Amino acid sequence: VVSVAAIPKMLRAASSNVVRRAALGASRGAPACHGSHVLSFHSSSRREEEASETAPAAPASKGGLFGTGLSEWFALPIGITAAVPIIKFDWYVVNEETQLAAVFIAFCVALYSQGGDAIYKSLDESAQTILKEHHEAEDKVIAALEQKLEFLQANKGQVEHFEAINALREDAYKNLNAAGAVKPQHDFKVQVEKMLNMIAAEEASNTEKAKTTLMEAATADVTSQFSSTKALKKAALDSAIDSIKGGAGGSDPVKDAFVKFFKTKAADAKKSSDDSEEKAAKAALIAKLNGVAKNEGFFFEFDAAGAPKMKV
């Protein structure tokens, strides 16, 4: 015989066991593929799984109702039998809270049974997307590291390359120093040759000008003589006629007049001590040479006497 005071304790224990067994049954009824997928997605080391693998196995349970090995269907008559006195004696009052709990449990069961797969697929798709992006990022990092490794391996001979470059630079500096020692001499030679060519050209130009001036003066003087003297005209005409006839003829009066003019000019030049014209021409030539030397940066220049002097 069970006392009335012990009934609540028995019902409380029975209800807790029923709830626990129902939770265990629900966990057994969950799809195995869901759990495997969730467990397989992780980015850190599986320490908990390794620990569980190494942990000692729990003693096997008999299963069934309350671990007795009986069928779980026995919980249904036991629950009905227990519910009658509980409700009869108002140990548990069925009110709006009970209805709300029942509706919530029904909602959870319906959501789990009808939309569980959809929710799982959505979460699994997000997990796969995150995992794919993570792998792509890792692949990019690996590719960048491999490229950097190739670059570093390709630059192993960089020291030898710089040593070869330094050797070439030293040889180039030696050649430049050798050329630098010869180049001023070469430049000086070129400058002297240019000055000599300028002096020769200037002298040739002055000579041609003097010849032209002298010939113009001689022509004017001879023309004036033959124009003003009838005897010279007659002598020039007779000489021309005789030359046309092919005769031996005498001296040419025109030629003699030119020769006489040149001899007179030469004698006058020897007697004359006026060299102002020559000095002016010399000063103009020196000024021209110094202008070229200054503009082109020559190593020397000419003084007033025409003697060269070094500037460096």
Side-chain angles (χ1 to χ4, degrees):
V1 179
V2 180
S3 63
V4 176
I7 290 176
K9 295 181 180 180
M10 293 175 60
L11 293 176
R12 190 178 300 110
S15 61
S16 62
N17 288 331
V18 169
V19 172
R20 183 171 61 83
R21 300 307 299 175
L24 290 174
S27 63
R28 291 193 189 98
C33 61
H34 294 185
S36 62
H37 280 289
V38 173
L39 292 176
S40 63
F41 174 67
H42 58 84
S43 59
S44 61
S45 59
R46 303 172 62 179
R47 297 181 180 177
E48 295 180 357
E49 295 179 4
E50 294 175 357
S52 63
E53 291 176 358
T54 57
S61 177
K62 294 181 180 181
L65 182 62
F66 303 145
T68 59
L70 298 176
S71 176
E72 295 177 354
W73 286 101
F74 285 99
L76 182 60
I78 294 174
I80 295 173
T81 304
V84 172
I86 290 172
I87 296 173
K88 175 65 177 176
F89 293 104
D90 293 333
W91 293 336
Y92 181 80
V93 179
V94 179
N95 54 11
E96 63 277 2
E97 294 180 356
T98 303
Q99 296 176 1
L100 182 61
V103 171
F104 178 73
I105 293 172
F107 170 75
C108 292
V109 172
L111 180 64
Y112 176 78
S113 60
Q114 302 299 324
D117 290 339
I119 295 173
Y120 162 74
K121 290 179 180 179
S122 175
L123 296 176
D124 184 68
E125 183 178 358
S126 300
Q128 294 297 330
T129 303
I130 295 172
L131 184 61
K132 181 180 178 181
E133 293 177 354
H134 182 68
H135 288 168
E136 290 177 354
E138 288 181 347
D139 292 339
K140 291 180 180 179
V141 173
I142 292 171
L145 292 176
E146 290 178 351
Q147 185 177 3
K148 185 176 181 180
L149 178 60
E150 293 177 359
F151 175 76
L152 293 176
Q153 290 179 350
N155 291 335
K156 285 182 178 179
Q158 194 170 10
V159 176
E160 290 78 5
H161 296 165
F162 279 111
E163 289 178 352
I165 292 172
N166 290 332
L168 293 175
R169 186 183 292 112
E170 290 179 359
D171 294 338
Y173 285 156
K174 290 179 181 178
N175 295 331
L176 288 175
N177 291 332
V182 178
K183 189 175 184 302
Q185 301 176 5
H186 176 73
D187 293 342
F188 181 72
K189 176 178 175 294
V190 172
Q191 294 171 6
V192 171
E193 289 178 352
K194 186 171 184 178
M195 285 296 179
L196 293 176
N197 292 331
M198 288 181 62
I199 293 172
E202 194 70 20
E203 288 180 351
S205 177
N206 292 335
T207 302
E208 290 296 328
K209 289 180 181 179
K211 287 181 180 180
T212 302
T213 303
L214 186 61
M215 286 300 297
E216 289 177 354
T219 302
D221 183 73
V222 171
T223 302
S224 176
Q225 290 179 13
F226 278 84
S227 298
S228 59
T229 306
K230 293 182 179 181
L232 291 176
K233 288 182 180 180
K234 184 176 182 304
L237 181 61
D238 292 340
S239 176
I241 293 172
D242 187 52
S243 177
I244 292 172
K245 289 180 178 181
S251 61
D252 187 358
V254 178
K255 178 181 177 182
D256 294 340
F258 274 101
V259 171
K260 182 180 178 181
F261 177 81
F262 289 142
K263 288 181 178 180
T264 303
K265 280 291 185 182
D268 294 340
K270 288 181 180 180
K271 293 178 182 180
S272 177
S273 60
D274 185 12
D275 57 351
S276 59
E277 186 176 354
E278 294 180 359
K279 290 181 179 180
K282 183 178 180 180
L285 178 60
I286 292 173
K288 184 176 181 180
L289 295 177
N290 287 334
V292 174
K294 182 178 180 181
N295 291 333
E296 298 187 8
F298 283 4
F299 299 150
F300 60 91
E301 62 182 5
F302 297 93
D303 57 9
K309 60 180 182 179
M310 301 299 294
K311 294 192 297 184
V312 292

